[in-house]
Every structure is written in structure tokens, then in C-alpha cells.
């Protein structure tokens, strides 16, 4: 190995270190929206209201919203939240799910999702990870006094009880 090779390696490592430090400084100065993506499945009756839905979700702080529509019937009444979704955004998710999906009776555990990901009415999961939620527990999650840490602690408690599996399991 030549001296030039080592010199180039040292310059590359130094440049990478400077870029990493600068990215960390910039990341601390730039506020994070809290949710990277929200996927929503809605009843077919909302199919022609996509523009209004996108606007309402954007006003609620969800700028990267993706919608799908079931052809018949109602989608599942569930929500799933990543572990880093802020409590205020999570409460907005609950509000929107109650408004457009006629309720929430199932929580999906946060371990299934990327940290800042949200889903409303996902049909991608079976009953081995669907945790029923009662109205009183849902009301507890909607408490505006809950910090993000307290919200996720409660959410994890609600989605970590052993499930009684039915059917072929």
C-alpha cells in the first residue's frame, strides 16, 4: 500500500466524520413531524372524497397519507402505531379512525411497525396480534394529559396481554 492510498483513506474518513457531525447538528435543529407515513383503508363510500381526505389528514399533521378503499363492506376497526409517534398525533389518529372507520375495537402492537408509522384499518394481520380494546381503555388513550412516553406505555400495556387464540392455533 502506498502513502497516497493511506492519505486518501484519511481524507475520506475525515470527510465522512464531518458530514456525520453536520447531519447530527442539522437533525437537532430541524423539527420532525412525528409521523413518517400513514396508511388508511376506508369504506368505498369515501372513494370520491380523496382530495378532501388528504386535506383533512394534512391539517391534522399527516402529510404523507396513503388511502385505499374496500370494494364492499367495512374495513377492520383497528389502528397500529409505531413506537415514536407523538401522543398528540396518536390522538389525532384515534379521532380520524373514529370519524371515518366507525370505531376502534382492535389495537395492533407497535412492535409490528416502523417507529413513526401509522395505520388505520389494516387487514394485513390476523387474530394472533389483534388486541381487543374496550371503550374505557380507548378513552384513556385519548387523555390529552398523557405525555408521549405515558401514551406508549399504556399502549404497550394494552397490546401485551396474552391473547386467547381461537380456531386452528
Amino acid at each position: 500500500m502506498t502513502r497516497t492510498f493511506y492519505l486518501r483513506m484519511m481524507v475520506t474518513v475525515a470527510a465522512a466524520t464531518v458530514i456525520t457531525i453536520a447531519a447530527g447538528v442539522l437533525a437537532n435543529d430541524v423539527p420532525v413531524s412525528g409521523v413518517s407515513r400513514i396508511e388508511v383503508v376506508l369504506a368505498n363510500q369515501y372513494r370520491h372524497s380523496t382530495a378532501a381526505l388528504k386535506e383533512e389528514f394534512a391539517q391534522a399533521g399527516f402529510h404523507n397519507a396513503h388511502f385505499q378503499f374496500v370494494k364492499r363492506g367495512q374495513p377492520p376497526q383497528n389502528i397500529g402505531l409505531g413506537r415514536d409517534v407523538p401522543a398528540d398525533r396518536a390522538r389525532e389518529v384515534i379521532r380520524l379512525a373514529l370519524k371515518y372507520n366507525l370505531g376502534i375495537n382492535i389495537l395492533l402492537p407497535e412492535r409490528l411497525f416502523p417507529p413513526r408509522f401509522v395505520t388505520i384499518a389494516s387487514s394485513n394481520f390476523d387474530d394472533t396480534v389483534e388486541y381487543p380494546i374496550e371503550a374505557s381503555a380507548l378513552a384513556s388513550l385519548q387523555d390529552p394529559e398523557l405525555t408521549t412516553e405515558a401514551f406508549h406505555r399504556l399502549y404497550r400495556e394494552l397490546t401485551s396481554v396474552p391473547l386467547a387464540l381461537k380456531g386452528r392455533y
Side-chain angles (χ1 to χ4, degrees):
M1 304 264 172
T2 65
R3 183 180 210 184
T4 307
F5 174 78
Y6 285 115
L7 200 55
R8 285 184 183 159
M9 288 297 292
M10 288 174 41
V11 169
T12 303
V13 169
T17 303
V18 168
I19 290 170
T20 303
I21 291 170
V25 168
L26 290 175
N28 290 335
D29 293 340
V30 177
V32 177
S33 69
V35 174
S36 60
R37 179 181 175 100
I38 181 169
E39 292 184 358
V40 184
V41 180
L42 297 172
N44 196 40
Q45 71 192 49
Y46 297 110
R47 180 178 298 278
H48 302 293
S49 308
T50 305
L53 288 167
K54 281 191 178 274
E55 178 65 27
E56 183 172 358
F57 276 73
Q59 287 176 356
F62 305 113
H63 301 285
N64 191 7
H66 299 269
F67 299 95
Q68 295 179 10
F69 303 93
V70 295
K71 292 185 184 195
R72 291 191 196 135
Q74 291 293 323
Q77 293 181 332
N78 64 34
I79 61 168
L81 305 167
R83 71 179 180 269
D84 292 339
V85 174
D88 62 331
R89 298 295 100 206
R91 284 187 286 274
E92 283 295 311
V93 168
I94 292 170
R95 182 186 68 78
L96 292 166
L98 291 171
K99 178 177 181 180
Y100 289 107
N101 204 21
L102 306 176
I104 299 169
N105 56 29
I106 293 172
L107 296 180
L108 300 170
E110 59 186 26
R111 69 178 184 273
L112 300 175
F113 304 104
R116 296 184 307 126
F117 181 86
V118 172
T119 187
I120 296 175
S122 177
S123 61
N124 295 335
F125 303 97
D126 64 12
D127 59 351
T128 61
V129 292
E130 292 180 338
Y131 291 84
I133 183 167
E134 295 176 4
S136 60
L138 187 61
S140 297
L141 285 173
Q142 292 175 291
D143 180 2
E145 298 299 317
L146 286 177
T147 64
T148 297
E149 294 79 19
F151 178 92
H152 283 283
R153 188 172 33 258
L154 177 58
Y155 192 91
R156 279 190 300 274
E157 287 173 14
L158 293 170
T159 58
S160 62
V161 295
L163 291 171
L165 299 177
K166 25 187 191 307
R168 61 183 180 177
Y169 302 106

